[in-house]
């Protein structure tokens, strides 16, 4: 991987060059929070942010996605042309890139998903480093640093960025700027190491994941699940904001009175009361306790068995979004017998 540096006063120039590679999207401030949006102008971008309301998964697996349509006289019409749009996603944090790498495993492995894969090919990722707040535990989930899944990655070194160039597209972006980027120096390396170590020390939240699948196995019948289930509202907010939750529901949308229609998929949540309902009205996870338990077991135990690591990246979004303050780090601590925090 090539490593370069970019003085911060040249960032605006770099951003103007980027437009030739596609629509530039970045986090923008929205009522005191942040959301990825198409930029009307570069000055709207806010690169110093904590976490966006929704993760970048919304670009790759949109909340509602048209899979195909059928039209009278035309027959089958392939999926939404938006799927081919070229986008540059600027300012993606390491945990969210890690989340995309996890979705890659799901949608490019056993379940080949052409919609997801086309978007992943057409959407460039420019990552940026960040500072953890009280809800971040990406370090515990080994997702505080990424070495793949992006085209360029910016690390803040004060008045300059150290820039990792990971792909041919990233290299093209750098080359298109002429001589904006410079070679890194030993002083840059030293500053990077100093900041990397400071970031390690800045985490306020730690979750021990070694032997966690085994502990989940032991605690399958714990009363903790009933207590958490009693509090849960089944609103699904935790899975909507999660960068690695990928359940969706498929529906045929028939336009009544015509011979037109289509098929779409929309985000679903295993916390919804109908998620495990099948024909005939049978519901395999009727109780909220069983649904909450399922979400935790899938992310922290089932995913480890299938893909070798938990699907949680420690972004802290579910902690912030839960209206009744169910906190994944507290649930795991109690499961480990460290403290009783969910009573
Ligand atoms: S489970 Fe919570 S902390 Fe983990 S990745 Fe999902 S939203 Fe982030
Ligand atoms: S956000 Fe909280 S209340 Fe809503 S479904 Fe998730 S755990 Fe339950």
């Amino acid at each position: 991987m090539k490593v370069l540096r970019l003085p911060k006063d040249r960032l605006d120039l770099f951003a103007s060059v980027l437009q030739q590679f596609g629509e530039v999207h970045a986090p923008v401030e929205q009522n005191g929070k942040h959301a990825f949006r198409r930029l009307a102008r570069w000055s709207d971008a806010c690169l110093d942010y904590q976490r966006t309301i929704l993760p970048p998964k919304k670009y790759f697996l949109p909340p509602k996605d048209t899979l195909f349509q059928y039209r009278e006289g035309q027959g089958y019409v392939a999926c939404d042309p938006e799927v081919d749009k070229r986008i540059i996603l600027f300012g993606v944090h390491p945990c969210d890139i890690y989340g995309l790498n996890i979705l890659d495993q799901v949608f490019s492995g056993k379940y080949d998903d052409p919609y997801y894969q086309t978007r992943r090919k057409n959407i460039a990722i420019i990552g940026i480093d960040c500072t953890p707040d009280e809800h971040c535990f990406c370090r515990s989930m080994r997702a505080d640093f990424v070495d793949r899944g992006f085209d360029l990655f910016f690390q803040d070194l004060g008045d300059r960025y150290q820039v990792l160039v990971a792909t041919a597209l990233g290299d093209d972006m750098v080359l298109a700027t002429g001589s904006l980027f410079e070679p890194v120096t030993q002083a840059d390396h030293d500053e990077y190491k100093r900041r990397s170590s400071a970031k390690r020390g800045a985490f306020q939240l730690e979750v021990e994941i070694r032997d966690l699948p085994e502990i989940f196995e032991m605690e399958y019948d714990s009363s903790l699940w009933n207590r958490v289930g009693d509090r849960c509202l089944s609103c699904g907010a935790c899975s909507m904001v999660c960068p690695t939750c990928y359940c969706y529901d498929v529906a045929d949308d028939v336009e009544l009175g015509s011979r037109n229609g289509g098929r779409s998929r929309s985000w679903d949540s295993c916390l919804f009361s109908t998620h495990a309902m099948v024909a005939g009205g049978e519901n395999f996870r009727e109780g909220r306790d069983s649904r909450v338990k399922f979400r935790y077991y899938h992310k922290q135990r089932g995913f480890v068995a299938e893909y070798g690591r938990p699907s949680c990246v420690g972004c802290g979004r579910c902690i912030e979004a839960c209206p009744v303050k169910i906190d994944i780090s507290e649930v795991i601590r109690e499961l480990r017998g460290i403290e009783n925090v969910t009573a």
Side-chain angles (χ1 to χ4, degrees):
M1 189 175 315
K2 203 192 280 182
V3 186
L4 296 168
R5 75 174 192 169
L6 180 73
K8 277 190 180 168
D9 57 10
R10 297 184 191 169
L11 187 63
D12 294 2
L13 273 174
F14 173 58
S16 64
V17 171
L18 273 185
Q19 292 172 21
Q20 60 185 271
F21 293 91
E23 280 180 7
V24 181
H25 293 230
V28 298
E29 208 251 305
Q30 186 183 296
N31 303 324
K33 293 184 178 281
H34 291 90
F36 278 102
R37 290 247 184 287
R38 183 179 185 182
L39 296 180
R41 53 193 163 268
W42 173 247
S43 56
D44 289 343
C46 177
L47 298 181
D48 185 16
Y49 71 102
Q50 211 57 52
R51 60 179 65 75
T52 50
I53 303 165
L54 290 178
K57 86 171 171 189
K58 71 176 183 178
Y59 286 93
F60 303 89
L61 187 66
K64 184 163 184 183
D65 199 8
T66 304
L67 302 178
F68 65 81
Q69 294 181 321
Y70 50 88
R71 302 261 144 229
E72 190 164 6
Q74 255 181 298
Y76 175 87
V77 182
C79 64
D80 191 345
E82 291 279 294
V83 83
D84 282 318
K85 195 189 274 179
R86 299 249 164 204
I87 292 175
I88 319 288
L89 218 46
F90 202 128
V92 186
H93 285 167
C95 64
D96 281 340
I97 297 176
Y98 218 110
L100 290 174
N101 291 343
I102 286 174
L103 293 183
D104 288 349
Q105 287 184 284
V106 175
F107 291 122
S108 309
K110 193 158 68 172
Y111 308 105
D112 218 14
D113 190 302
Y115 306 93
Y116 175 88
Q117 288 174 22
T118 304
R119 292 190 173 101
R120 194 72 164 108
K121 207 166 61 217
N122 290 338
I123 302 177
I125 302 283
I126 301 184
I128 195 158
D129 214 355
C130 47
T131 309
D133 72 358
E134 72 276 16
H135 297 318
C136 295
F137 58 101
C138 55
R139 182 164 172 75
S140 301
M141 305 312 292
R142 319 274 188 267
D144 54 327
F145 176 81
V146 271
D147 58 4
R148 66 195 164 80
F150 56 85
D151 296 283
L152 295 173
F153 193 91
F154 282 55
Q155 289 154 333
D156 193 340
L157 299 186
D159 61 352
R160 60 208 185 275
Y161 292 107
Q162 177 169 279
V163 182
L164 309 181
V165 185
T167 62
L169 176 61
D171 208 29
D172 287 347
M173 291 174 184
V174 168
L175 291 175
T177 65
S179 54
L180 278 189
F181 288 78
E182 301 171 345
V184 271
T185 63
Q186 186 56 47
D188 295 326
H189 293 323
D190 292 344
E191 182 60 11
Y192 169 73
K193 286 187 281 186
R194 195 188 68 71
R195 284 172 180 258
S196 169
S197 148
K199 181 176 173 179
R200 271 200 298 281
F203 282 93
Q204 304 163 46
L205 195 57
E206 206 178 318
V207 173
E208 178 56 80
I209 60 166
R210 260 169 298 207
D211 71 7
L212 196 55
E214 288 73 19
I215 289 179
F216 267 80
E217 195 71 47
M218 293 168 203
E219 296 299 330
Y220 191 79
D221 294 321
S222 168
S223 64
L224 167 78
W225 302 118
N226 304 97
R227 279 180 278 124
V228 178
D230 282 346
R231 287 169 57 199
C232 175
L233 306 174
S234 291
C235 66
C238 49
S239 30
M240 299 300 144
V241 300
C242 179
T244 62
C245 275
Y246 52 81
C247 280
Y248 59 81
D249 196 14
V250 176
D252 283 345
D253 313 309
V254 182
E255 292 172 24
L256 291 179
S258 77
R259 304 180 80 183
N260 302 327
R263 180 166 297 172
S264 63
R265 65 176 169 188
S266 314
W267 287 357
D268 199 354
S269 168
C270 56
L271 277 309
F272 291 162
S273 59
T274 53
H275 187 264
M277 189 178 274
V278 293
E282 183 62 47
N283 193 337
F284 295 104
R285 287 191 288 276
E286 203 157 12
R288 278 175 291 149
D289 52 346
S290 66
R291 298 198 294 275
V292 164
K293 182 156 88 172
F294 174 80
R295 181 164 188 269
Y296 276 85
Y297 272 75
H298 183 229
K299 293 192 105 58
Q300 307 290 349
R301 179 176 160 275
F303 210 85
V304 180
E306 192 156 7
Y307 296 102
R309 61 150 292 135
S311 66
C312 172
V313 293
C315 70
R317 282 189 181 89
C318 58
I319 302 175
E320 206 173 61
C322 180
V324 293
K325 304 206 176 324
I326 293 172
D327 179 330
I328 181 172
S329 69
E330 292 177 353
V331 171
I332 291 175
R333 272 208 301 280
E334 181 167 346
L335 218 53
R336 285 190 165 280
I338 295 172
E339 52 194 292
N340 187 332
V341 284
T342 56

